[in-house]
Each structure stands twice: as C-alpha cells, then as structure tokens.
Amino acid sequence: MAKNSHALFSALFFVLLIGASHAGGGIAIYWGQNGNEGTLSEACATGKYSHVIIAFLNKFGNGQTPEMNLAGHCNPATNSCTKFSADIKDCQRRGIKVLLSIGGGIGSYSLSSPKDARTVATFLWNTFLGGKSTSRPLGDAVLDGIDFDIELGSTQNWEHLARFLKGYGKRVYLGAAPQCPIPDKFLGTALETGLFDFVWVQFYNNPPCQYANGNITNLVNSWNRWTSSVHAGKIFLGLPAAPAAAGSGYIPADVLSSQILPVIKKSTKYGGVMLWSRFYDGQNGYSDSIISSV
Ligand SMILES: *[C@@H]1O[C@H](CO)[C@@H](O)[C@H](O)[C@H]1NC(C)=O
C-alpha cells in the first residue's frame, strides 16, 4: 500500500514536472477583421494559438442596437456568421479559449451608466455566452469570455461591465487590450477591479513604451510596470504580427526571441504574446518564428 502510494506520488510529481517544463507562454491571436485570413477552424488547427479573440462587436451601449463586424468573413445581418459556431466548438475541443472582443478602433460604443453596463452585460451573456436568445450571431457555441478593446467613446463605466460579466461566474473569462501607457485612458479603472484574467497590452502605436530602432529599454520598463502594478491574472506582450499590421512598434522575430522574451518571461505574470492579427501572422509567418521562444 505504502509502496503504491509512493509510486502514485512519484508519477504525479513526474507529471507536474513535465507540465511545468511546458508551462511557457501562449500566443493569443485576433481573428475577424480580414476576410482573407482563413477560417477560425483553420487558425485553431495550426496548433499555434492558446487564445483566439474574435473581433469585433463594435456597436453597443447607450441604447443602440448592438452590431458585430467580421469584415469579409460573413454578414451578421443576414445571419451568415452562425457557420462559425462549429469552428468555435472545434477550437474549444483543442483546448483553445475563444473570446469575443468588444470595441476596436472603428465603431460606435459607450456605456452611459452603470445600468447601461448591466444591459450590455445581459446582452453579451444571452447572445454569446451561457444565456439564451433567439438572436445569436455566432450560433449556439458558448464563448469562453469577453475581451475589452476599448479605444474610443466614453471612458466611463467599463468597470461595471467587468463586474456584471464576472458575476455570471469565474469561467466567464475577461480579457483586456489596453495601450501600454499607464494608466490606460479607457480601461484603467476597469483594470483596478482585478477581475481580468488576461491583459494583452498593446506595445505598438505607442512610442513612449514600445520597441524602437533596436532599443528595448522603453518596452522593458513599461512591461515591468505592468507586471508589478496591474492586478490581473496573466499579462501578454501585445505586438503587430507584421510591419504593416501597425503604425509602429513591430519587433523583428529574432530580437523578440533573443533579447526581449528571455527578460519578460522572468515575471510570474507572463502569459505569452498577443498578436494583431491572424491575417498578418499568416502573411509574415511571425508566430512560426517565435513560438519556440514564447
Ligand atoms: C534607449 O532608450 C532609452 C530611453 O529612451 C535611452 O535612455 C537610451 O539611451 C537608449 N539607448 C541607446 C543605446 O540608444
């Protein structure tokens, strides 16, 4: 008996060791804003991504009828995006978390009050998460969570939306994509709730805190501030997957792998790398180049 339990303990210990040696970071990828990037299933079948973030629900709040935009992939208005329900389930079967991103750089969204935040939370729960609605643009697949990519409109009430969404249960994951300057103008207050599981910080289009011309100082200093001062589950280094994917902040894959990842991985908050976007990653092969170092 004692011998057996010792063997069991050894086996468990071995599994934990193996698990730990593979406990590096993941790659989170935004999908949805280019019809030529392939399907969600194809993205997940590459085996490269830990999180897929569907972008975007870009109209909601303040009494507006919510609208989703998935570029050339499908048209939510004619209900042709429900075909992605099977893709979402396929990704989840592979252990990939699938989130819906709300906001984005183009759109019409804001939360006019805490009550409005509750209305939007109820809508998101019924339409994309575990609730029920006659109108589910992504079909009956239950997404793993909601990502806040709030870049315009009002700075107010996002913390209430986070609280209402997390109120549905721990397994509703919350993601956020703040800009690297601290505090983020739109998401700073929401991040203070400590309710976010994944914070993929945009270290691009932000010269004060991004990589530039071979100099990693500003980026590393900013990363250290994020990981030491922002209360979140895991923090991801958000990057453009190709030079054309952002106005500035692209990091050559060899610089990322040899100079930056070894430094930022020292933080226990390190969750991996976020890339904008699946389209550019496909064009540039960026995740192929960095995955062994992530
Ligand atoms: C890198 O950037 C930092 C911060 O702007 C600056 O202080 C430093 O001199 C730069 N290093 C080099 C080698 O240019």
Side-chain angles (χ1 to χ4, degrees), residues 4 8 17-18 23-24 27 29-30 51 53 103 150 204 259:
N4 279 347
L8 180 62
L17 269 179
I18 297 288
I27 297 179
I29 192 92
Y30 277 88
H51 301 72
I53 314 158
I150 307 307
Y204 50 96
Q259 296 180 44

Side-chain angles (χ1 to χ4, degrees), residues 212-218 221:
N213 308 318
N215 192 328
I216 70 169
T217 305
N218 287 342
N221 286 344

Side-chain angles (χ1 to χ4, degrees), residues 156-218:
Q156 305 294 301
N157 298 311
W158 300 105
E159 71 279 20
H160 298 295
L161 182 61
R163 282 201 195 93
F164 288 129
L165 285 171
K166 212 49 169 177
Y168 287 110
K170 263 193 290 199
R171 282 194 296 176
V172 174
Y173 291 99
L174 296 185
Q179 312 295 315
C180 53
I182 296 177
D184 183 84
K185 183 177 162 194
F186 294 97
L187 294 171
T189 307
L191 289 170
E192 282 173 17
T193 64
L195 293 174
F196 286 81
D197 302 282
F198 317 115
V199 178
W200 8 77
V201 183
Q202 298 188 44
F203 288 93
Y204 50 96
N205 300 329
N206 282 300
C209 45
Q210 72 189 22
Y211 170 84
N213 308 318
N215 192 328
I216 70 169
T217 305
N218 287 342

Side-chain angles (χ1 to χ4, degrees), residues 80-100:
S80 67
C81 301
T82 54
K83 67 183 175 192
F84 288 117
S85 219
D87 288 44
I88 292 163
K89 292 175 192 173
D90 178 47
C91 294
Q92 290 171 330
R93 268 194 298 272
R94 297 172 189 273
I96 298 166
K97 292 198 166 50
V98 184
L99 286 82
L100 171 70

Side-chain angles (χ1 to χ4, degrees), residues 32-37 55-56 68-76 80-81:
Q33 283 302 294
N34 192 307
N36 299 318
E37 66 196 334
F56 290 105
M68 188 171 190
N69 175 298
L70 292 181
H73 286 291
C74 56
N75 183 357
S80 67
C81 301

Side-chain angles (χ1 to χ4, degrees), residues 19-157:
S21 72
H22 285 251
I27 297 179
I29 192 92
Y30 277 88
W31 175 95
Q33 283 302 294
N34 192 307
N36 299 318
E37 66 196 334
T39 67
L40 206 49
S41 268
E42 285 164 350
C44 292
T46 64
K48 294 188 290 189
Y49 310 120
S50 57
H51 301 72
V52 172
I53 314 158
I54 300 176
F56 290 105
L57 182 83
N58 69 349
K59 186 174 178 185
F60 61 88
N62 202 15
Q64 303 179 96
T65 301
E67 278 178 21
M68 188 171 190
N69 175 298
L70 292 181
H73 286 291
C74 56
N75 183 357
T78 61
N79 222 22
S80 67
C81 301
T82 54
K83 67 183 175 192
F84 288 117
S85 219
D87 288 44
I88 292 163
K89 292 175 192 173
D90 178 47
C91 294
Q92 290 171 330
R93 268 194 298 272
R94 297 172 189 273
I96 298 166
K97 292 198 166 50
V98 184
L99 286 82
L100 171 70
S101 189
I102 64 170
I106 303 168
S108 170
Y109 55 83
S110 63
L111 300 172
S112 57
S113 63
K115 187 165 173 276
D116 191 29
R118 185 160 58 185
T119 302
V120 170
T122 304
F123 164 80
L124 291 169
W125 170 255
N126 286 333
T127 312
F128 299 101
L129 301 169
K132 284 204 169 8
S133 169
T134 50
S135 169
R136 288 188 57 110
L138 294 172
D140 64 355
V142 176
L143 298 187
D144 295 294
I146 302 294
D147 170 53
F148 291 41
D149 181 17
I150 307 307
E151 307 197 7
L152 53 85
S154 167
T155 60
Q156 305 294 301
N157 298 311

